Amino acid sequence: MPKSLLSASDREFIKALSDLTHSNPFEPRRIELERRALGNAFVEDNPAWSRTAATDAAERPNVARLTDRANELVERVCRDDKSTGNIAANDATHFDDLVTYVTYYRHVAPLAVVDTSAGANAIAKAWQSFADDRQRLLGPIMSHGRVGLADNAHVFACLYQVRRAFTHIFMYLVGQSRPATRLRAQVWQSIFTHDLRRFRRSLYDRMSGLSTLITGPSGTGKELVARAIGLSQYEPFDEQRKRFVSEPTFIGVNLAAFSPTLIESELFGHRKGAFTGATTDRAGWLEVCPAGGAVFLDEIGELDPAIQVKLLRVIQLREYSRLGETEPRHFTGKLIAATNRDLACEMREGRFREDFYYRICSDLIAVPSLREQLTDSPAALHTLLEFIVGRELGATTDQPSDDVARLVGEVEQWIGERMPRDYPWPGNIRELEQCVRNVLVRCEYRPPTAQPAAGMCDWLQRAEQGRLSADELLNHYCRLVYSKTGGYEQASRVLGIDRRTVKARIESLGK
């Protein structure tokens, strides 16, 4: 009986790498698996894998070390395997995963995430080298019969989907707070579920049938979440033509911008003469969206109940009809919806149908407010400012330019000196963007609406009862004037005291 090509340490490494390959890269468990695989070679790293961390394997020591060892191991096994089948049957699955890991970093990870038609040549070359390499590396386990080369195209499609999903989540959902980290992990699950093995086996072509509902305050980036999910759907790969069958498509529809009739026409399309002004046949967004694409319905809480009924059929049966037609058409894309409304309250008030809610909530994502992120991690402000300022100044790399770094410093200093530490940021990320632009243009920012002083009625009542000291009364009054004027400088002029004193008195109430 031939001696096994794998040592006990090899097996432990491959098993850990197998679990790592199928783990959620944005969950803390990834760090535990890296530690298990590398042992003493593991380097402590930031568990929040986001754009603020290193951007590729070369800059992440653990990924680089894992990849180096995986490459060495798989090549050694292939070199020493004189006759196929020298790897035990119970090791075959894990060795298959090792090959998947190696071929991903060799051939798929270097690909840019672009329109697949624009990058057709690069993808065709990557496919050919991937298929040849995978066939060679799987030699030692081919005799077990569980691995066949017929699934090369499917594995390549899954790996490129992983590449696209990681890029969209990593690049656009930034922040190192725990709420931001959890959000990235949730978006990954929305695309692949919590079980990547099962996704690859049987769910890859079924996920588009599950609708996603994104909730959260206005200005938190719900459309970015929707876009990350919508542009990361599975696309089959045609190995004969060496191209993907479909293109990633994301169609956003702001429902609040249309009347009910126009919403129907936009979504379902219409037949000529269906209503006044319908001079030609028109395909709606559900019809335009291809398989592998997504339609994003923003402000779903604004949707008229009559149209909710029509969308029920789309979600349940994947069928709809154009206005003025009875012929059923089939929707093959994914439906994503978002709202900043409390849908439980809307259902109690009869404005949102319960049956519609229970159709559209197959997958729920709650986007955290900016205040939640900053409460968890005040340092998250710097991360978000780097992202916003870099975009405003047209930065083309992940390394901030001198102008970016200077403006980030100016905005941070302005916020630190002029705004309370517990400022609620009611406009969330959108308001922070406007703050950056205001500081960029005028070196100042005034909140769009005066924020009411917390507990104002209570302190006034205590003042009337003579239960406040002079210092306490002045502290509360400083906060009231600040809320009316919108800044420390303006408040100090009204109060006739130094700006730093105003700031200190207001902050004393937040302790």
Side-chain angles (χ1 to χ4, degrees), residues 51 55 171-172 386-404:
R51 189 175 176 180
T55 58
M171 293 298 291
Y172 300 114
E386 279 192 336
F387 177 76
I388 294 169
V389 171
R391 187 177 57 195
E392 290 298 316
L393 297 185
T396 56
T397 68
D398 290 311
Q399 297 300 321
S401 67
D402 290 342
D403 278 344
V404 170

Side-chain angles (χ1 to χ4, degrees), residues 126-177:
W127 153 252
Q128 195 59 61
S129 57
F130 166 84
D132 293 343
D133 206 17
R134 187 166 186 259
Q135 179 173 358
R136 178 179 66 87
L137 296 178
L138 287 177
I141 58 173
M142 288 303 296
S143 64
H144 296 300
R146 65 162 303 281
V147 177
L149 298 179
D151 67 345
N152 267 354
H154 172 56
V155 174
F156 184 74
C158 287
L159 293 182
Y160 190 64
Q161 183 185 9
V162 165
R163 177 77 176 99
R164 283 186 289 114
F166 183 87
T167 299
H168 289 129
I169 296 171
F170 177 85
M171 293 298 291
Y172 300 114
L173 305 180
V174 301
Q176 291 185 293
S177 67

Side-chain angles (χ1 to χ4, degrees), residues 20 85 103 131 154 174 177 202 268 292 302 333 336 354 356 427 442 474:
L20 183 62
T103 52
H154 172 56
V174 301
S177 67
S202 57
F268 307 118
E302 311 284 337
I336 307 172
E354 288 191 16
F356 183 54
R442 301 186 182 277
L474 183 53

Side-chain angles (χ1 to χ4, degrees), residues 308 347-348 352-359:
Q308 293 176 28
M347 287 188 283
R348 283 196 302 270
F352 202 83
R353 295 177 60 98
E354 288 191 16
D355 52 358
F356 183 54
Y357 174 80
Y358 290 117
R359 289 286 189 273

Side-chain angles (χ1 to χ4, degrees), residues 26-48:
F26 299 103
E27 287 184 341
R29 183 170 179 264
R30 170 183 58 83
I31 296 293
E32 299 173 16
L33 292 171
E34 288 181 355
R35 190 191 309 274
R36 197 179 97 200
L38 290 174
N40 294 333
F42 175 81
V43 178
E44 293 297 334
D45 202 359
N46 190 338

Side-chain angles (χ1 to χ4, degrees), residues 365-383:
I365 295 180
V367 182
S369 67
L370 177 56
R371 183 70 260 161
E372 288 178 77
Q373 296 191 52
L374 298 183
T375 298
D376 176 80
S377 174
L381 179 65
H382 183 83
T383 300

